[in-house]
Amino acid sequence: MKLNIGINTIYQIMSRAASAIVALINTRLITTYLGAAGYGQYQIAAVYVSLFWILTDLGLDTLVVREISSDESKTQTYFSRLFTLRLLIGAVLTTIALGTMFFLPYPTHVKVAIVIGAATILFQSIMGAAVALFQAKLQYKYFFITYLIGSLILLLGIFTTLQFTSSIIWLIGIYTLNVFGMMVTSLYFAKKWVRLQFSRVAGEVKQLFIRTIPFGLIILFDLGILKLDVLLLSVLPLESASNDVVVGVYNVSYKIYELATVVGLFFVNALYPLMNKQFSQRLHRQFAKFGGAAVLLLVIIGVVGTVLLYILAPLMISLLTDLGEFTPSIEVLRVLSIGLVPVFIATLGKFIMIIYDKQRQLVYVYLAGFLFNLVTNVWLIPRYTYFAAATTTVFTQTIV
């Protein structure tokens, strides 16, 4: 069991490492060719559609992984329900994203990029069904292969495109094609265990959806905690800087911080199916032992990560940019690094409460975090811009 956790954690880390390295190289390329304002506009389009990526989950994956890991004979049944629901939800959210976009104060070319990128909402939603299957089966090697292929294609596409144009419309187009390719690859691997078929029983699909409502609310509030700051930075009137530049400066730092959370978060993802199985089999002593060891390891990883990010922040930012307009990203990253331990512990706590079937209580926890994040950011961002967003992120994760 410990070997499975280790192997699958390694595969997850390798998957994210491949995509992370490519993301960092792409960041360097885009900041060099487009500058802070251009990179900021690219990030506005990319982050906007990624907001809806998270909403396609609604907690469906967590619930399905729990059911399959408890009883593998239900694999085809639950996969078909998940596949059907994710397709429907992806289509609805794509429509909502396109409709909402027209009310936002973005330039025309940014809105065109969002229209193109909106297709990734559907693609990502469908791919999520396959990724949930890999998690339930502890077969993250297929997750790794999918992300490795996708990352390399994206890097080649971005590099080639920038040789001919600096238009974010073309860059988002390459990004969209990449997500489509990853969707196709992941579904191909999923066919090792299941048939790609829809659930024909509407009642079963509806029942699964209803069961995920508490999960969905948690995901929605967590989304606000994680991504609301970028949206507010892009639309709120600022006292002393351009919105595009501020988004660019903040996102360079946030991208590094986000990547720094990988080891801890993937460890928790690998641990979840096994802890859930232990709990369902009433192996409470083993369950408690796993949980205690996980907390200790996550604290150690978080503290070490914070120290390294603080010390290496100037080097990391200089590798991704030519500094200049991006110089404030160094201090922003240092502030964000303080949030590593809280975000690791919060993620483990969330999964444990889900195992105990305490989703309703979790809703109130994440609602409190979301409201704090929203009110504090709206109050402070106009004056303190990216430093307000970074500080609020750390305090919010601590509260949660």
Side-chain angles (χ1 to χ4, degrees):
M1 187 175 293
K2 292 181 179 179
L3 181 61
N4 279 339
I5 294 174
I7 292 174
N8 282 279
T9 300
I10 290 171
Y11 272 124
Q12 289 182 81
I13 294 172
M14 290 170 59
S15 304
R16 192 55 186 251
S19 60
I21 292 171
V22 169
L24 294 177
I25 295 174
N26 284 336
T27 298
R28 176 65 191 191
L29 289 171
I30 296 171
T31 57
T32 300
Y33 280 85
L34 274 63
Y39 177 70
Q41 291 180 345
Y42 173 80
Q43 281 297 307
I44 287 172
V47 169
Y48 179 82
V49 298
S50 70
L51 291 175
F52 294 91
W53 284 13
I54 301 173
L55 289 175
T56 61
D57 184 357
L58 292 177
L60 291 167
D61 295 357
T62 303
L63 178 59
V64 168
V65 169
R66 186 176 72 181
E67 295 297 330
I68 294 176
S69 61
S70 298
D71 185 356
E72 293 193 2
S73 66
K74 298 179 180 179
T75 298
Q76 180 65 60
T77 299
Y78 272 96
F79 178 83
S80 295
R81 294 177 187 177
L82 179 63
F83 186 61
T84 304
L85 262 179
R86 273 189 160 274
L87 177 64
L88 295 174
I89 292 171
V92 170
L93 288 175
T94 301
T95 304
I96 293 174
L98 292 173
T100 305
M101 177 260 310
F102 290 104
F103 296 98
L104 298 175
Y106 298 147
T108 301
H109 66 285
V110 173
K111 290 185 176 181
V112 172
I114 290 175
V115 169
I116 295 171
T120 64
I121 300 170
L122 179 61
F123 301 155
Q124 181 72 20
S125 184
I126 295 172
M127 183 171 69
V131 173
L133 181 64
F134 301 154
Q135 183 181 0
K137 295 294 184 180
L138 292 177
Q139 292 292 331
Y140 273 105
K141 64 180 178 181
Y142 298 108
F143 179 82
F144 165 65
I145 296 171
T146 298
Y147 270 77
L148 178 63
I149 294 173
S151 298
L152 294 176
I153 292 175
L154 180 61
L155 175 59
L156 178 62
I158 293 291
F159 176 77
T160 303
T161 300
L162 286 172
Q163 307 311 306
F164 299 98
T165 178
S166 58
S167 169
I168 67 168
I169 295 175
W170 280 95
L171 294 176
I172 292 296
I174 295 297
Y175 182 65
T176 302
L177 289 175
N178 169 67
V179 177
F180 174 77
M182 291 173 65
M183 177 195 71
V184 173
T185 304
S186 64
L187 291 178
Y188 171 78
F189 289 136
K191 291 172 67 177
K192 292 178 177 291
W193 296 280
V194 295
R195 299 181 301 278
L196 302 181
Q197 63 184 34
F198 300 115
S199 176
R200 296 185 176 88
V201 183
E204 293 180 350
V205 176
K206 181 180 179 181
Q207 181 185 32
L208 178 60
F209 180 76
I210 292 174
R211 289 180 64 190
T212 63
I213 289 177
F215 290 95
L217 291 173
I218 294 168
I219 295 293
L220 178 62
F221 295 139
D222 194 26
L223 170 64
I225 292 171
L226 295 175
K227 300 292 185 179
L228 186 64
D229 48 9
V230 176
L231 182 61
L232 293 175
L233 285 170
S234 72
V235 299
L236 288 176
L238 307 179
E239 293 183 5
S240 59
S242 159
N243 292 82
D244 295 339
V245 172
V246 167
V247 170
V249 168
Y250 182 71
N251 267 281
V252 167
S253 304
Y254 196 86
K255 187 173 291 293
I256 297 173
Y257 165 73
E258 200 171 33
L259 295 175
T261 65
V262 167
V263 177
L265 298 182
F266 278 174
F267 176 77
V268 174
N269 282 338
L271 191 64
Y272 171 65
L274 296 173
M275 290 187 69
N276 182 67
K277 181 176 290 188
Q278 291 169 355
F279 185 81
S280 65
Q281 295 175 352
R282 301 183 182 278
L283 302 174
H284 298 305
R285 182 174 297 180
Q286 196 170 3
F287 176 84
K289 182 179 179 181
F290 265 74
V295 170
L296 178 61
L297 181 58
L298 289 172
V299 170
I300 294 172
I301 294 172
V303 171
V304 172
T306 296
V307 173
L308 289 177
L309 283 183
Y310 191 91
I311 295 173
L312 299 177
L315 175 62
M316 292 178 176
I317 299 300
S318 66
L319 289 174
L320 296 183
T321 71
D322 292 323
L323 293 180
E325 293 178 294
F326 290 99
T327 301
S329 298
I330 295 172
E331 295 305 321
V332 174
L333 177 57
R334 284 173 166 168
V335 173
L336 287 170
S337 69
I338 301 171
L340 283 181
V341 172
V343 77
F344 288 164
I345 301 303
T347 302
L348 178 62
K350 178 175 69 175
F351 280 125
I352 290 176
M353 288 188 73
I354 289 171
I355 290 173
Y356 276 96
D357 202 23
K358 299 291 184 180
Q359 296 87 264
R360 294 184 184 278
Q361 289 84 341
L362 263 180
V363 171
Y364 297 112
V365 173
Y366 278 85
L367 174 59
F370 169 75
L371 292 176
F372 173 82
N373 188 281
L374 174 62
V375 173
T376 307
N377 273 321
V378 170
W379 176 35
L380 296 178
I381 278 179
R383 184 172 183 180
Y384 299 104
T385 63
Y386 30 68
F387 288 115
T391 304
T392 301
T393 294
V394 173
F395 276 104
T396 304
Q397 293 293 354
T398 302
I399 289 172
V400 171

